[in-house]
Amino acid sequence: MLTDVIDLLHCPHCTGELTLTGGTAGCPAGHRFDVARQGQLNLLRRSAGANADTAAMVADRVAFLAAGHYAPIAELVASAAVGSVAVEAGAGTGYYLDAVVSRLARTAPGARGLATDVSTYASRRAAKLPRIGAVVADTWAGLPIRSGIADTVLAVFAPRNLEEFARICAPSGRVLVVTPLPAHLAEVRHTAGLMTIEEGKHERLLAEARTCLTHDRHEDLCYRIDLSPDEQRHLIGMGPNAFHTQPAGRPETSIATTVAVRLDVFRHPAASTAPGRGQRAV
């Protein structure tokens, strides 16, 4: 629900505090934003652009994720989350954020999540989830989120603006980033002629983070899944391949493929200056 997270947001025009009055969010400077009837709040300062997920892509994503093929990824991310406030940038339908908030709620009954995505269609789906508010926003344009409010910031297969993640992360919080390893979906990518995984992806992530975050650890997750022809179609249609690749025909047979991802855990730089275990503040 948007009412649960409105205090985490600021105005995208002036960074003033946002409050809700009826179906409108507003700031003291007079900027006003209508809450959509589906529950999401659009805080984009421009049109969404051609990279936003379409309604068809979101439908494919919902169908694929509902089959549980990426449930171990959601469990991995949730196990690394901390605190009671989680923000997911590029959240899509909110699948991973839902797992995180559900895990946090076991020890923090007031746990809540904020999902941001550049796609209105994706945000509509995320807005239906319990304990989660959904905002249409562009990660690269600067998130309309107050500084230092998130205990856990996550980006799963999503654009990474690490400076923004560091800004909104609480000093004791964590930033969780999931990226594909070279073997990820290799069999499907080969058979269907899909986009390849960029070389040096992890090295670039660590290089980008050095100026704003402290790398804590990483954990790899690899397992096999069996995909029916329909599930392959949903997989291909839910991501960037829907824009950039012409698959080699409609899948006609089932296929076994590899899921291979890496979770990187980062800390706010302020945390590295705090006394560690066995140390005493002076």
Side-chain angles (χ1 to χ4, degrees):
M1 295 285 291
L2 191 63
T3 52
D4 295 331
V5 299
I6 192 67
D7 64 306
L8 308 178
L9 300 171
H10 69 213
C11 175
H13 298 295
C14 66
T15 71
E17 180 181 352
L18 287 180
T19 55
L20 275 177
T21 304
T24 302
C27 72
H31 300 115
R32 297 290 181 266
F33 311 90
D34 292 332
V35 180
R37 60 183 178 83
Q38 297 91 346
Q40 80 277 9
L41 178 64
N42 193 327
L43 295 181
L44 283 176
R45 290 181 292 178
R46 55 170 181 76
S47 59
N51 66 321
D53 286 358
T54 64
M57 292 172 68
V58 170
D60 278 328
R61 186 181 303 274
V62 169
F64 182 82
L65 294 175
H69 295 302
Y70 280 2
I73 302 176
E75 293 170 7
L76 175 66
V77 175
S79 69
V82 296
S84 62
V85 176
V87 174
E88 182 175 10
T93 60
Y95 176 77
Y96 302 103
L97 181 62
D98 187 33
V100 165
V101 174
S102 295
R103 173 68 70 90
L104 295 178
R106 297 178 188 176
T107 54
R112 51 194 173 138
L114 173 60
T116 72
D117 199 278
V118 75
S119 166
T120 299
Y121 299 107
S123 294
R124 285 177 184 173
R125 294 291 309 198
K128 297 179 180 181
L129 297 170
R131 302 185 299 271
I132 289 175
V135 171
V136 185
D138 185 353
T139 301
W140 295 115
L143 295 169
I145 299 173
R146 294 171 55 194
S147 298
I149 53 81
D151 300 308
T152 298
V153 181
L154 55 148
V156 183
F157 304 135
R160 306 178 302 271
N161 187 337
L162 297 181
E163 290 188 356
E164 273 294 274
F165 296 172
R167 180 185 67 79
I168 67 174
C169 185
S172 59
R174 295 180 181 177
V175 175
L176 311 178
V177 178
V178 174
T179 52
L181 292 168
H184 185 58
L185 305 176
E187 298 83 358
V188 175
R189 287 190 284 108
H190 175 74
T191 302
L194 307 182
M195 298 167 60
T196 59
I197 305 297
E198 302 173 52
E199 293 186 7
K201 200 176 189 74
H202 187 244
E203 291 74 16
R204 283 194 296 276
L205 169 63
L206 297 184
E208 292 169 8
R210 285 191 188 108
T211 60
C212 55
L213 292 167
T214 300
H215 189 249
D216 185 55
R217 61 183 173 86
H218 76 260
E219 184 173 347
D220 292 348
L221 174 67
C222 298
Y223 59 96
R224 300 279 287 178
I225 58 174
D226 294 313
L227 299 178
S228 69
D230 280 345
E231 289 170 332
Q232 292 173 62
R233 178 176 58 81
H234 295 317
L235 174 63
I236 293 168
M238 75 181 196
N241 287 290
F243 290 123
H244 302 296
T245 305
Q246 292 296 325
R250 182 185 178 88
E252 297 181 355
T253 60
S254 297
I255 190 173
T257 191
T258 304
V259 174
V261 302
R262 175 166 290 173
L263 167 66
D264 281 284
V265 180
F266 298 93
R267 292 178 283 110
H268 193 285
S272 63
T273 63
R277 185 176 299 174
Q279 294 179 305
R280 185 177 61 181
V282 293

